[in-house]
Amino acid sequence: MQVGTFIKTPCPHNAELLGMAGFDFAVVDAEHGPFDRTAADLMMIGGRAAGLPLFVRTADRTATNILWALDIGAAGIVVPHIDGVAQARELVASARFSGGQRGFSNSPRFGRYGATSIVEAMELGDRATILAQIESAQAVAEAEAIIAVDGLDGIVVGRADLALSMGLTDPGAASVMDATRHVLALARGQGKAAVVVVGRAAEAAVFKSMGATHVVVGSDQSFLRAAATAAV
């Protein structure tokens, strides 16, 4: 199981530090963190300096935000609020060259600043990992069909929003955990990435036993807050 974390602070040094700490990957959070394209672009440099693959959680599922996240050289994207098959197909179309509709230029970082041919750049671009975030009761109901969409590499279960969509405030509630187990099993059954977000490292073992292939543990902010609180 691979272990990553969120980065919610627009500081490339944080990407370097997390890479040095041994994380397998990190997710730049442009949905809930203060990241525009320029700030996220700088994060990619920090990640590359430490050999840390960086994903971008996009602000939304619009083609524009998907495009810039991939153009800056992200290892992949996590796209929030994919609630049905039609949205999953739109996501893949926006993110893929082959079989999709991703706008092309080989001049950004992913295309090595123009040092690639069109064919080479398309191949590089389509190596990015495309993940849909499952975080509503509707998405759980359609999860099998969402996961089956060709070109989608896997899913991320967001238990907080999932709980709220079910009228609950506890991501650890039995019904939320059952839904999470169900979605993770579907992803594993189709040979795709089964990712879950956890607040604390101690929770990871529970989801590993459910078949999670990746966990996203906490964030740079939560690690700083915990260490600072302990020091005080």
Side-chain angles (χ1 to χ4, degrees):
M1 183 174 68
Q2 291 203 342
V3 180
T5 188
F6 279 116
I7 299 178
K8 295 178 179 285
T9 309
C11 175
H13 303 79
N14 287 11
E16 277 193 287
L17 286 166
L18 293 168
M20 292 169 62
F23 281 97
D24 297 304
F25 66 97
V27 183
V28 174
D29 190 1
E31 183 187 19
H32 295 295
F35 289 98
D36 58 11
R37 179 173 182 158
T38 300
D41 186 80
L42 289 173
M43 299 304 297
M44 296 300 136
I45 297 173
R48 290 189 177 206
L52 178 68
L54 292 183
F55 288 66
V56 173
R57 178 159 72 175
T58 59
D60 53 36
R61 58 177 183 266
T62 59
T64 298
N65 282 326
I66 290 169
L67 177 62
W68 73 247
L70 294 171
D71 273 0
I72 65 174
I77 53 174
V78 177
V79 179
H81 300 291
I82 300 300
D83 295 321
V85 175
Q87 293 173 356
R89 289 174 179 157
E90 289 172 3
L91 158 58
V92 171
S94 297
R96 298 294 186 196
F97 291 121
S98 298
Q101 301 168 357
R102 176 179 168 184
F104 180 82
S105 171
N106 65 349
S107 63
R109 183 179 292 109
F110 93 92
R112 298 176 181 170
Y113 300 109
T116 54
S117 69
I118 290 178
V119 172
E120 290 169 337
M122 288 176 65
E123 290 175 350
L124 288 171
D126 283 342
R127 291 178 189 174
T129 300
I130 310 303
L131 302 174
Q133 194 149 313
I134 302 295
E135 48 190 338
S136 70
Q138 179 184 342
V140 171
E142 297 193 40
E144 185 170 10
I146 291 171
I147 293 165
V149 169
D150 189 37
L152 188 70
D153 294 304
I155 52 84
V156 179
V157 180
R159 291 181 300 128
D161 277 325
L162 177 56
L164 293 175
S165 80
M166 299 169 72
L168 304 170
T169 56
D170 179 10
S175 54
V176 177
M177 295 296 280
D178 287 344
T180 300
R181 184 181 295 105
H182 172 67
V183 173
L184 295 177
L186 289 173
R188 288 299 295 267
Q190 295 193 37
K192 297 192 176 184
V195 189
V196 66
V197 177
V198 301
R200 297 175 295 106
E203 298 178 84
V206 172
F207 297 100
K208 183 177 182 180
S209 70
M210 292 183 185
T213 58
H214 302 66
V215 291
V216 182
V217 183
S219 69
D220 58 340
Q221 289 179 347
S222 66
F223 295 137
L224 175 61
R225 185 183 67 249
T229 301
V232 171

